[in-house]
Amino acid sequence: MIAPDDSGIAVLATQLVETDYDCVVIGGGLRIPPKGLLFFERVVNAIHQGAPKAAIAFNTRPQDTAEAAARWIGAD
């Protein structure tokens, strides 16, 4: 979870540098346009820059986060 502002992007960037990720899951709440569109783009671009080898997956609710990641890291 990150704050939907510049501080959230900074936290995300720091987390991406500190660990190698196989997959980063973006929650459904970030993809709600039009209000969240710019922040959603910033998150995707931060992930692309900070973890260029990581897959990006999307969940629909917290309960399916592991399933979303598993689609891209080969776990069932």
Side-chain angles (χ1 to χ4, degrees):
M1 299 290 294
I2 59 172
D5 56 23
D6 289 343
S7 69
I9 297 296
V11 168
L12 175 61
T14 299
Q15 291 172 341
L16 293 171
V17 170
E18 293 177 352
T19 305
D20 288 330
Y21 292 93
D22 293 323
C23 183
V24 178
V25 179
I26 298 175
L30 287 181
R31 300 187 308 270
I32 300 172
K35 182 179 177 184
L37 184 61
L38 179 59
F39 186 71
F40 174 63
E41 289 177 342
R42 292 180 68 203
V43 167
V44 170
N45 284 304
I47 293 168
H48 179 67
Q49 291 171 359
K53 294 181 181 180
I56 297 174
F58 301 96
N59 69 2
T60 57
R61 61 191 187 288
Q63 295 82 359
D64 68 5
T65 299
E67 180 183 319
R71 288 193 299 265
W72 293 99
I73 58 174
D76 292 61

